[in-house]
Amino acid sequence: MTHQPGFLPLSDIERNKLGIRQFDIILVTGDAYVDHPSFGTALIGRVLWDAGFTVGIISQPDWITATDFTVLGKPRLFFGISSGNVDSMVNNFTPNLKRRSDDVYSPGGIPKRPDRATIVYTNRVHELFPDTPIIIGGIEASLRRFSHYDYWQNRVRQSILADAPADLLIFGMGERQVVEIARRLASGETISSLRDIRGTAFGMEITEWFSKRAEGIIELPGFTEVAQDKISYARAFALHYYEQDPVRGRTIAQPHPKTVVIQNPPALPLSTEELDHIYDLPYSRRAHPSYTERVPALEPVQFSVTSHRGCFGACSFCALTHHQGRIIQSRSKASIIREVTKMTLMSEFKGIVQDVGGPTANMYCLSCSLWEKYGACRDKHCSPSCKNLNTSHYCQIDLLKKLREIPGVKKVFIGSGIRYDLSLVDDSGYLEMICDHHVSGHLKVAPEHVIKKVTETMNKPGREIFDRFCERFETLQQGKKKRQYLLPYFISGHPGCSINDMVELAIYIRDHQLYTEQVQDFTPTPMSVSTSMYYTGLNPFTLEPVHVPKGVEKKIQRALMQYRDPDNRRLVIEGLTTVGRTDLIGNGRQFLIPAIDLGTNKYALKHSRTKK
Ligand code: SF4
């Protein structure tokens, strides 16, 4: 069956209406089913349907009872299980480890996702259908595929493959893998024989590992070792980090007490034609009609377009290198234009394209001449100074111009962040154009910090480049009827950052009169370089010690970034006193906080800062 339904079925009633007796595949997800390509379950479901398989979805099941898991029956080929678009622990808790009261991926924002959703759902399905293959995937499974530090339990956990009774794990973007698995199972291969698929990982019996261990496999320090020894943890992290390239990456093994986790090399990047095909599938861009309440996560993306995948920025705090990788995969302009044209036919569309981007908006169409043959460099970070990197933004300019010309489109915004260092080396007029047409009042940029050793630890461009960008942006504001502002994102509490560094950042914010409502306090999410540093106190690539702010120091760092907030007064004073900078307490613009506590009286606070 290849005809795609308006919505993928969620119930046996919909299954019967489609004339399906048994689904080939059932996907279980912690998200509401939103039929939009930025929701992983919808995208994988549509791709499988396109490949000729029938797919049903079990969305946000009640995991206490069996009812929700059995409602669609038993699939012919396999269950595909994910926590949803985000890791369930990231989703269910704030960075301060308080349980969130809402879930934007759920109708009405009502939380319905269990903690460690992938493990919970997999256990339930395995109990009920012990003979049916289970494939896990999505961000949670992907970024927990090796032994990893878990912030929520403050300990090293085993690979999710050692904790959940899954037959295979798909990591990265999973379209190629999931279709190959479905085709091979449909042709009669057994799940245990599918051990050669790129972009998958699986558990191997320890005895088998010792008898069949092949040459060329990278063996990481095992779970027991990395859980006890931070140097081993850092070494293991660096080893698997280096192998996450689809062209040069090798197979990796990590022994666990009851299994050996084997990760095959990552899936090869999708071609432009393949990506176009995936995004051309008939997503309705709406939540399933059975929901009576809106799904908040749909609103900011309903009329957004993914132009590309991958990011060669490799920021330390982002695990994208382990998921989408550094090689940019771009869609064709024609396919993006088709998608936006389809949006204009929807009754809810008001003429506003909310975003055209990817992990970094201005990497669309950028490429390195070595990627195809050699992959991304192992020991070198991609930067605008590399002669092999094509940094011309001409292709993006042309795309955005064409999107603006589509009848029914009033405005095309760039909502994803841009790499300002790339925009500075571009000579095709990108920044001018986005200021003229694609930014409302604020342009989001992410310098993340301004102190050299901190930006180096984060693998971000330094302050000089950000300053140059600010100057260029200001130049572009001249003569504008309505001026625009930069909305910079900074991170507090990142490994490598001291209270002194945060004081310097606060001074920078003061001197440049920057708006910093959006405070990001570093959260050690699974499998980023920064998380490895947070846990071990070591740079995983050099094994040099890194200062890691924790406890009160982390709170002080966060408060310093929002020193203007009267609620932070006590912590800001504590921080300034700790590093001997009480000279920054006083009345006037040159001080960070007033000498006397003015409470939350905004007028008094403002007045105290205007005194000379
Ligand atoms: S040659 Fe340059 S742009 Fe290409 S992968 Fe290496 S560092 Fe990145």
Side-chain angles (χ1 to χ4, degrees):
M1 176 181 294
T2 52
H3 175 71
Q4 299 246 3
F7 282 91
L8 305 185
L10 283 184
S11 65
D12 51 349
I13 299 170
E14 290 165 85
R15 182 188 64 200
N16 290 338
K17 271 192 196 159
L18 290 166
I20 298 166
R21 199 177 56 79
Q22 180 185 26
F23 286 116
D24 294 322
I25 295 144
I26 294 178
L27 301 179
V28 182
T29 172
D31 291 341
Y33 166 39
V34 176
D35 192 39
H36 188 286
S38 63
F39 285 72
T41 303
L43 185 130
I44 291 294
R46 292 279 179 198
V47 165
L48 282 168
W49 206 281
D50 179 66
F53 301 97
T54 56
V55 180
I57 295 178
I58 298 175
S59 162
Q60 302 188 298
D62 165 14
W63 66 94
I64 309 295
T65 67
T67 316
D68 288 353
F69 292 96
T70 52
V71 71
L72 297 183
K74 175 178 164 165
R76 185 172 69 91
L77 300 176
F78 64 88
F79 278 99
I81 296 177
S82 88
S83 71
N85 265 11
V86 278
D87 184 284
S88 56
M89 302 308 282
V90 175
N91 197 67
N92 289 358
F93 291 88
T94 67
N96 294 329
L97 301 177
K98 296 213 168 66
R99 188 170 286 281
R100 292 184 204 271
S101 55
D102 62 344
D103 182 340
V104 294
Y105 290 94
S106 190
I110 297 161
K112 288 185 178 170
R113 187 191 323 256
D115 295 348
R116 307 194 188 281
T118 309
I119 297 175
V120 171
Y121 296 155
T122 305
N123 276 323
R124 213 75 183 102
V125 169
H126 184 65
E127 277 162 30
L128 296 162
F129 304 95
D131 304 327
T132 306
I134 299 177
I135 321 293
I136 55 175
I139 285 280
E140 181 165 282
S142 183
L143 297 184
R144 292 176 182 267
R145 61 190 184 266
F146 298 113
S147 302
H148 57 282
Y149 172 70
D150 184 88
Y151 173 57
W152 300 268
Q153 289 184 322
N154 192 25
R155 70 173 176 92
V156 177
R157 285 186 67 99
Q158 305 190 94
S159 159
I160 198 165
L161 276 168
D163 282 338
D167 297 284
L168 269 181
L169 179 155
I170 291 178
F171 64 91
M173 305 301 279
E175 298 93 344
R176 271 194 203 289
Q177 300 94 301
V178 81
V179 170
E180 182 172 350
I181 292 166
R183 287 195 175 133
R184 288 174 62 175
L185 289 177
S187 71
E189 287 190 57
T190 59
I191 188 71
S192 58
S193 69
L194 303 186
R195 290 182 162 188
D196 56 344
I197 301 175
R198 282 175 163 272
T200 65
F202 55 92
M204 182 183 271
E205 294 277 336
I206 292 174
T207 46
E208 188 186 348
W209 166 247
F210 283 119
S211 63
K212 288 193 184 159
R213 209 170 188 165
E215 287 290 309
I217 294 183
I218 306 295
E219 186 171 335
L220 306 179
F223 166 74
T224 311
E225 201 180 332
V226 301
Q228 288 169 0
D229 176 25
K230 292 185 176 176
I231 294 178
S232 294
Y233 184 100
R235 282 209 177 102
F237 183 87
L239 281 172
H240 64 67
Y241 182 91
Y242 285 137
E243 301 303 328
Q244 301 308 321
D245 183 90
V247 181
R248 57 169 175 72
R250 292 165 291 179
T251 303
I252 306 170
Q254 186 173 46
H256 283 64
K258 292 186 181 163
T259 188
V260 177
V261 172
I262 312 285
Q263 183 208 275
N264 288 322
L268 292 172
L270 294 171
S271 66
T272 295
E273 294 71 30
E274 287 169 318
L275 264 185
D276 286 356
H277 186 72
I278 288 167
Y279 286 93
D280 279 344
L281 294 173
Y283 308 94
S284 65
R285 306 189 94 84
R286 294 180 175 115
H288 189 271
S290 62
Y291 301 131
T292 52
E293 293 186 270
R294 64 188 185 90
V295 179
L298 172 61
E299 283 168 24
V301 299
Q302 188 171 20
F303 299 112
S304 294
V305 187
T306 301
S307 54
H308 62 286
R309 291 179 178 176
C311 177
F312 53 78
C315 301
S316 304
F317 45 80
C318 173
L320 201 87
T321 312
H322 271 83
H323 193 69
Q324 291 193 359
R326 284 163 62 192
I327 295 177
I328 303 297
Q329 303 155 67
S330 297
R331 291 170 64 190
S332 70
K333 291 180 220 166
S335 165
I336 297 170
I337 291 166
R338 270 197 302 280
E339 187 174 344
V340 173
T341 306
K342 271 198 240 166
M343 285 180 198
T344 65
L345 306 176
M346 291 177 64
S347 55
E348 304 97 315
F349 185 71
K350 303 283 183 269
I352 310 294
V353 178
Q354 293 159 302
D355 185 25
V356 181
T360 300
N362 58 331
M363 287 190 187
Y364 176 65
C365 275
L366 303 194
S367 64
C368 163
S369 53
L370 304 188
W371 282 344
E372 194 172 341
K373 195 160 173 201
Y374 303 106
C377 292
R378 183 182 190 273
D379 299 318
K380 198 171 142 201
H381 291 297
C382 306
S383 82
S385 60
C386 180
K387 64 180 183 349
N388 294 312
L389 187 69
N390 160 27
T391 54
S392 168
H393 288 41
Y394 177 77
C395 179
Q396 305 176 46
I397 290 183
D398 190 45
L399 168 70
L400 291 166
K401 182 170 174 290
K402 289 193 162 89
L403 293 179
R404 295 199 301 272
E405 289 167 356
I406 294 174
V409 171
K410 293 181 195 155
K411 200 83 192 161
V412 179
F413 286 119
I414 307 268
S416 309
I418 67 161
R419 274 295 284 224
Y420 49 87
D421 54 336
L422 284 170
S423 74
L424 282 176
V425 296
D426 166 64
D427 57 5
S428 50
Y430 175 78
L431 194 55
E432 288 84 336
M433 190 200 64
I434 62 164
C435 285
D436 284 347
H437 297 285
H438 302 288
V439 176
S440 54
H442 292 92
L443 175 63
K444 287 183 213 158
V445 282
E448 311 295 8
H449 216 287
V450 292
I451 301 300
K452 191 164 186 272
K453 76 175 168 48
V454 183
T455 50
E456 281 176 357
T457 310
M458 294 173 165
N459 196 31
K460 294 292 290 185
R463 171 179 171 169
E464 323 74 59
I465 296 178
F466 183 58
D467 284 344
R468 270 176 48 214
F469 177 79
C470 293
E471 275 169 34
R472 177 97 181 271
F473 182 81
E474 280 309 312
T475 312
L476 294 174
Q477 296 307 311
Q478 286 164 18
K480 274 202 186 312
K481 277 195 196 142
K482 199 171 158 207
R483 72 152 294 150
Q484 297 158 322
Y485 297 90
L486 286 176
L487 189 58
Y489 283 74
F490 294 107
I491 295 183
S492 64
H494 189 275
C497 182
S498 66
I499 293 180
N500 258 322
D501 297 329
M502 286 309 293
V503 171
E504 291 304 319
L505 177 59
I507 291 170
Y508 184 89
I509 289 168
R510 175 199 69 188
D511 293 347
H512 292 76
Q513 296 172 21
L514 295 172
Y515 173 81
T516 53
E517 275 306 290
Q518 298 273 0
V519 173
Q520 297 180 90
D521 190 23
F522 171 69
T523 308
T525 52
M527 231 152 147
S528 72
V529 176
S530 303
T531 299
S532 178
M533 290 185 203
Y534 177 89
Y535 172 60
T536 62
L538 298 167
N539 178 320
F541 308 113
T542 62
L543 297 184
E544 284 167 3
V546 179
H547 170 70
V548 179
K550 288 187 179 168
V552 178
E553 185 193 342
K554 202 154 182 281
K555 288 184 184 159
I556 289 173
Q557 290 206 15
R558 184 192 156 101
L560 278 162
M561 192 144 58
Q562 282 188 317
Y563 64 87
R564 297 180 184 116
D565 183 342
D567 290 343
N568 290 333
R569 179 181 172 80
R570 186 185 59 76
L571 285 168
V572 172
I573 290 177
E574 192 177 336
L576 293 175
T577 307
T578 306
V579 296
R581 292 304 308 267
T582 47
D583 58 302
L584 291 165
I585 305 172
N587 294 339
R589 277 185 199 282
Q590 68 273 41
F591 300 103
L592 291 182
I593 52 167
I596 48 163
D597 188 356
L598 300 171
T600 53
N601 183 332
K602 287 199 177 135
Y603 172 79
L605 281 166
K606 193 173 169 197
H607 188 63
S608 79
R609 291 207 175 97
T610 52
K611 281 187 186 164
K612 295 275 184 239

